[in-house]
């Protein structure tokens, strides 16, 4: 039988066996499969770039930013929305909702993305409204509102103020040896929102007000303050009603993917131990720090409303804190970071965020323009990649 086997047939059999072995190898080897997926990104990126759509008369730089995000920042699906100083809304989208190009539905203006730490804008805006309503002040002590703080071992906890929580200056240092709950991957003690009495047993990383150290715990505590000052209604209910979420795409997320949600370009390669990004975080606990989702247009519209409110608003900085606005991520205000490369330059205010497999960014300029960028990936080079996009946006918003 083999003597009559033709060369063409032999090659066909060889190729079939080879394909079967390759498929079997990658099917049974999760690590190899992940590495192959990562290496295939340039091909997936180019396919995603071919799938760009924009609203009529959108500035060309909106799609340019999406192409940059796709090629250089590991995000094959993106939305960008821009409200110009005259109030006109423009938007662009690119990529695919599912993991696989061509066979997945294209990303649209209605596709859902997670907002990550951009959620803090709603928490801060609500706190600032409570201040303007006379229900508390920037100097109000946290311990006067959360009565669980009754016998702290570290007496400095009694000195924490609302203003310090807003500006990440309350003494919670997630990089300290003590560790605190509600930071990335749940490192540290589980304190907020379900074990607030644990605040009595922690040691702060530094004196409140003495320096800045980013903390999700601080914003979880602000969420509890909002709940207490609204007859103990859940934070999520207060925000949903106050900002009329029923008229928008905005929803709080849970530990599962929503039906209209984009997939995220995340592959576990052994660094975090999380293979399922939807169960990697306590999203109920992170509601006031990183719990919202929606699309870029609704994000831009809501931020546009917040930014024009009477001061103090989300753009306001504290006169008590000296900071360097020439550094693009150094100068925290009550919720956003202000960037002004020189004293003669225009200012742009940023708020960004990231979780496993996604990144978010909002920018507000001095003329009232608002930009929102949602991406289903994070740059391999972290801060460098994010800062590059911020500079591109700064250049366009300040022309």
């Amino acid at each position: 039988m083999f003597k009559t086997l033709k060369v063409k047939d032999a090659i066909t059999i060889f190729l079939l066996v080879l394909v079967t072995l390759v498929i079997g190898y990658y099917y049974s080897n999760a690590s190899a499969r992940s590495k192959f997926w990562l290496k295939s990104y340039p091909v997936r990126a180019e396919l995603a770039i071919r799938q760009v759509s924009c609203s009529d008369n959108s500035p060309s730089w909106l799609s340019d930013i999406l192409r940059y995000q796709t090629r250089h920042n590991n995000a094959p699906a993106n939305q960008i929305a821009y409200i110009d100083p005259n109030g006109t809304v423009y938007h662009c989208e690119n990529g695919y909702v599912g993991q696989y190009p061509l066979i997945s539905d294209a990303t649209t203006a209605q596709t859902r993305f997670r907002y990550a730490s951009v959620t803090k804008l709603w928490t801060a805006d609500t706190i600032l409204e409570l201040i303007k309503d006379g229900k508390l002040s920037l100097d109000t002590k946290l311990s006067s509102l959360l009565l669980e703080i009754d016998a702290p071992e570290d007496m400095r906890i009694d000195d924490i103020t609302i203003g310090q929580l807003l500006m990440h200056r309350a003494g919670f240092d997630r990089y300290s040896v003590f560790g605190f709950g509600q930071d990335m991957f749940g490192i540290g003690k589980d304190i907020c929102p379900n074990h607030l009495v644990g605040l009595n047993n922690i040691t702060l990383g530094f004196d409140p007000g003495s320096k800045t150290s980013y903390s999700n715990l601080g914003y979880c505590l602000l969420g509890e303050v909002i709940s207490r000052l609204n007859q103990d209604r859940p934070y999520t209910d207060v925000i949903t009603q106050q900002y009329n979420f029923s008229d928008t795409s905005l929803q709080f997320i849970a530990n599962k993917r929503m039906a209209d949600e984009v997939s995220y370009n995340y592959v576990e390669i052994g660094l975090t131990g999380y293979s399922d990004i939807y169960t990697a975080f306590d999203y109920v606990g992170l509601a006031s720090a990183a719990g919202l989702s929606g699309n870029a247009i609704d994000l831009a519209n809501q931020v546009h409303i917040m930014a024009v409110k009477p001061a103090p608003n989300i753009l306001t900085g504290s006169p008590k804190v000296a900071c360097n606005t020439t550094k693009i991520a150094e100068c925290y205000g009550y919720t956003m970071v202000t960037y002004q490369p020189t004293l003669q330059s225009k200012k742009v205010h940023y708020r960004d965020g990231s979780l496993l497999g996604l990144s978010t960014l909002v920018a507000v300029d001095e003329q009232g323009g608002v930009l929102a960028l949602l991406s289903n990936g994070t740059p391999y080079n972290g801060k460098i990649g994010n800062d590059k996009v911020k500079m591109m946006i700064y250049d366009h918003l300040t022309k």
Side-chain angles (χ1 to χ4, degrees):
M1 178 178 70
F2 292 104
K3 292 182 179 179
T4 61
L5 187 66
K6 296 180 180 180
V7 174
K8 182 179 179 180
D9 294 333
I11 293 174
T12 300
I13 293 172
F14 172 78
L15 291 175
L16 288 173
V17 171
L18 180 63
V19 170
T20 301
L21 290 173
V22 169
I23 292 174
Y25 172 74
Y26 283 107
Y27 179 80
S28 61
N29 191 325
S31 176
R33 191 165 62 247
S34 296
K35 291 178 181 177
F36 175 78
W37 185 249
L38 292 174
K39 290 181 179 179
S40 73
Y41 182 73
V43 175
R44 291 186 284 126
E46 291 306 313
L47 291 173
I49 286 172
R50 293 174 179 269
Q51 190 64 41
V52 178
S53 61
C54 294
S55 59
D56 292 342
N57 302 314
S58 290
S60 61
W61 57 268
L62 295 181
S63 59
D64 291 342
I65 289 174
L66 295 193
R67 291 185 177 90
Y68 182 89
Q69 279 288 86
T70 302
R71 284 197 172 106
H72 301 286
N73 281 348
N74 197 36
N78 304 272
Q79 291 176 340
I80 192 167
Y82 172 53
I83 303 177
D84 72 13
N86 297 318
T88 304
V89 180
Y90 304 98
H91 61 90
C92 294
E93 305 78 38
N94 84 294
Y96 298 87
V97 175
Q99 281 187 309
Y100 305 106
L102 302 179
I103 63 173
S104 299
D105 292 334
T107 305
T108 70
Q110 288 72 46
T111 301
R112 179 177 305 280
F113 286 72
R114 299 188 174 200
Y115 288 174
S117 285
V118 168
T119 300
K120 292 179 175 69
L121 289 170
W122 282 263
T123 302
D125 185 65
T126 302
I127 289 290
L128 293 172
E129 286 298 299
L130 289 168
I131 290 171
K132 285 179 280 191
D133 289 342
K135 295 182 179 180
L136 74 167
S137 73
L138 292 168
D139 295 323
T140 298
K141 300 292 181 65
L142 178 67
S143 57
S144 71
L145 300 167
L146 303 185
L147 301 184
E148 290 88 345
I149 306 173
D150 55 2
E153 296 176 7
D154 185 340
M155 297 303 294
R156 294 176 297 177
I157 291 172
D158 277 333
D159 296 327
I160 294 173
T161 67
I162 295 299
Q164 290 164 352
L165 290 169
L166 285 171
M167 300 183 69
H168 303 280
R169 297 174 65 85
F172 302 125
D173 187 352
R174 61 175 169 172
Y175 300 114
S176 75
V177 295
F178 301 104
F180 297 107
Q182 298 310 315
D183 284 305
M184 293 298 292
F185 311 119
I187 294 172
K189 302 175 183 179
D190 179 14
I191 295 173
C192 185
N194 298 317
H195 303 96
L196 294 177
V197 69
L199 289 166
N200 293 299
N201 305 318
I202 66 174
T203 301
L204 295 179
F206 55 90
D207 291 340
S210 63
K211 70 175 185 177
T212 300
S213 180
Y214 192 85
S215 172
N216 288 317
L217 173 57
Y219 268 74
C220 182
L221 295 172
L222 288 173
E224 286 303 296
V225 169
I226 290 169
S227 175
R228 301 292 170 90
L229 293 179
N230 283 275
Q231 294 79 48
D232 289 327
R233 292 169 58 209
Y235 166 86
T236 52
D237 290 354
V238 175
I239 299 301
T240 297
Q241 181 178 3
Q242 184 166 317
Y243 294 90
N244 300 313
F245 282 3
S246 60
D247 296 329
T248 72
S249 65
L250 274 72
Q251 292 184 43
F252 284 97
I253 56 178
N255 292 71
K256 61 181 180 180
R257 181 183 174 188
M258 294 186 179
D260 59 348
E261 187 175 357
V262 73
S263 64
Y264 299 105
N265 189 36
Y266 172 79
V267 176
E268 172 54 41
I269 55 176
L271 295 177
T272 66
Y274 291 104
S275 57
D276 183 356
I277 64 173
Y278 302 104
T279 59
F281 304 99
D282 174 14
Y283 289 111
V284 175
L286 282 174
S288 57
L292 277 174
S293 68
N295 61 51
I297 295 174
D298 285 338
L299 173 55
N301 279 325
Q302 294 241 329
V303 173
H304 188 257
I305 294 171
M306 295 179 194
V308 297
K309 290 182 177 181
N313 60 31
I314 61 169
L315 308 183
T316 306
S318 171
K320 298 180 181 179
V321 179
C323 58
N324 186 0
T325 59
T326 65
K327 302 294 184 181
I328 201 164
E330 296 281 333
C331 197
Y332 275 100
Y334 292 132
T335 185
M336 302 190 82
V337 176
T338 300
Y339 176 60
Q340 184 182 26
T342 69
L343 292 177
Q344 293 74 37
S345 304
K346 296 178 180 178
K347 293 180 181 178
V348 171
H349 307 272
Y350 294 103
R351 170 73 265 182
D352 60 1
S354 65
L355 289 170
L356 297 176
L358 66 105
S359 56
T360 61
L361 175 64
V362 170
V364 183
D365 64 37
E366 291 183 303
Q367 289 73 43
V370 176
L371 182 136
L373 174 63
L374 302 175
S375 303
N376 75 333
T378 55
Y380 287 126
N381 56 353
K383 183 177 182 298
I384 295 174
N386 286 327
D387 287 354
K388 172 66 175 177
V389 172
K390 290 177 184 175
M391 288 304 305
M392 292 173 64
I393 291 171
Y394 179 88
D395 290 341
H396 289 297
L397 292 183
T398 57
K399 282 183 178 178

